[in-house]
Amino acid sequence: MNRPSGMPDQPGPERSSFPSASAPSAESGTSAYRLPALLAALGERLPEDRTAALEDVLKRSSGPDDVRVRRFIAAQTAAGLAHQLAEITRIWRAEAPYVTGAGLALALATARTRPRPRPAQVVISGPMSASVPTRLTSSVVVDVIRSATTSLLISSFAAHGARGVVAEIGRAVDRGVSVDLLLEESTQAATAFTALPPRVRIFHRVGAKGVLHAKLIAADRHTALVGSANLTDRALSDNIELGVLLRDPRLVEPLIEHFRWLLTPENNVLRRV
């Protein structure tokens, strides 16, 4: 039987005007998910003020070929940034031309509201090699203490000397920072902090099943130095010591929660002196 003129030989699925999220883009040869990844990478690279400037340009643009977008790209002098922005507009054009500039600006603004994780950094005492980027323990300890605005949690097996560190803790107390010192009783570590005001809380371990051997300096809930160095002059400068500086709240907060649990009286792990 002859089919009516204009009818297809077989029924087919209804076509969508939007590209498939799982199918590669014919023009770019990449997944349609590439644009969000590129925007996320850009948000991590750009400082706050440059991200806000780009958002403003995007809000007023009609699409990836808008002259305002091209001018913004041409004005960038940071190494590789113009190329990175040009790649974003290319993928924008290929994968999501229906997304407005305001939509892209909103995506960037959303990413900007999230805390930016910062990579862990190696911290050492003793001789420094060129193998990895490092910082000296003595300077990092001071920086961490100075970064605290509400609380400092410090744990050390031994402590003596280190007058500069004790002075920094005192200055933190003066600006209203709450300080908890977790110290090993058998090493008489608390003696190093006798000059600090009474509102600094000192804790020792309960019982004799083991010692308090952890070395930690944590500022608020955003930064923590974890390593092998005690708060002694030699450990901070001359000994061969190793540590890691964490500045990602997602890693620091669980660490703080663990030590706060240790400090809870009903858990009978640490007692206040």
Side-chain angles (χ1 to χ4, degrees):
M1 187 174 84
N2 293 333
R3 295 181 182 273
S5 175
M7 287 189 64
D9 291 336
Q10 294 180 352
E14 181 181 353
R15 289 190 174 184
S16 169
S17 59
F18 297 94
S20 167
S22 58
S25 165
E27 181 176 341
S28 66
T30 58
S31 167
Y33 285 112
R34 191 175 177 199
L35 183 58
L38 290 174
L39 288 174
L42 181 67
E44 290 181 4
R45 172 181 182 172
L46 287 181
E48 291 276 334
D49 59 334
R50 299 307 298 155
T51 306
L54 176 55
E55 289 168 15
D56 184 62
V57 170
L58 289 171
K59 287 175 187 175
R60 295 181 286 111
S61 69
S62 57
D65 297 311
D66 192 289
V67 65
R68 285 172 283 240
V69 175
R70 294 201 300 269
R71 286 174 181 167
F72 183 88
I73 293 173
Q76 305 311 305
T77 58
L81 180 55
H83 175 78
Q84 186 177 6
L85 290 168
E87 179 68 1
I88 287 174
T89 60
R90 186 180 76 83
I91 299 301
W92 180 11
R93 185 186 307 111
E95 296 180 350
Y98 50 87
V99 175
T100 64
L104 237 60
L106 180 60
L108 270 176
T110 302
R112 189 157 55 91
T113 61
R114 300 182 61 189
R116 297 188 181 190
R118 301 173 68 183
Q121 186 175 24
V122 175
V123 179
I124 66 165
S125 299
M128 298 182 68
S129 73
S131 301
V132 290
T134 57
R135 292 183 63 195
L136 283 173
T137 306
S138 54
S139 63
V140 172
V141 167
V142 171
D143 285 351
V144 173
I145 294 172
R146 288 178 178 174
S147 73
T149 59
T150 59
S151 64
L152 273 170
L153 194 153
I154 299 174
S155 177
S156 188
F157 173 74
H160 53 79
R163 291 183 179 85
V165 173
V166 176
E168 283 297 338
I169 296 173
R171 283 189 277 272
V173 174
D174 290 342
R175 64 177 185 267
V177 175
S178 172
V179 178
D180 291 322
L181 299 177
L182 288 58
L183 304 170
E184 171 56 29
E185 187 173 14
S186 66
T187 64
Q188 299 181 334
T191 305
F193 304 97
T194 54
L196 294 176
R199 58 182 177 274
V200 172
R201 293 178 294 271
I202 297 177
F203 296 84
H204 289 157
R205 181 160 185 184
V206 173
K209 292 183 178 180
V211 297
L212 192 157
H213 203 252
K215 291 88 175 179
L216 167 73
I217 301 179
D220 303 338
R221 304 176 76 84
H222 55 69
T223 305
L225 173 61
V226 182
S228 63
N230 286 300
L231 291 180
T232 69
D233 290 333
R234 284 190 175 182
L236 296 178
S237 300
D238 300 325
N239 293 351
I240 296 178
E241 306 278 1
L242 179 64
V244 177
L245 180 62
L246 304 174
R247 293 174 292 187
D248 186 342
R250 295 172 298 181
L251 298 175
V252 175
E253 287 187 359
L255 188 62
I256 299 299
E257 289 299 326
H258 171 68
F259 276 85
R260 291 298 175 196
W261 181 87
L262 295 175
L263 292 174
T264 304
E266 52 263 35
N267 292 326
N268 200 36
V269 179
L270 294 167
R271 60 179 172 83
R272 186 172 177 180
V273 177

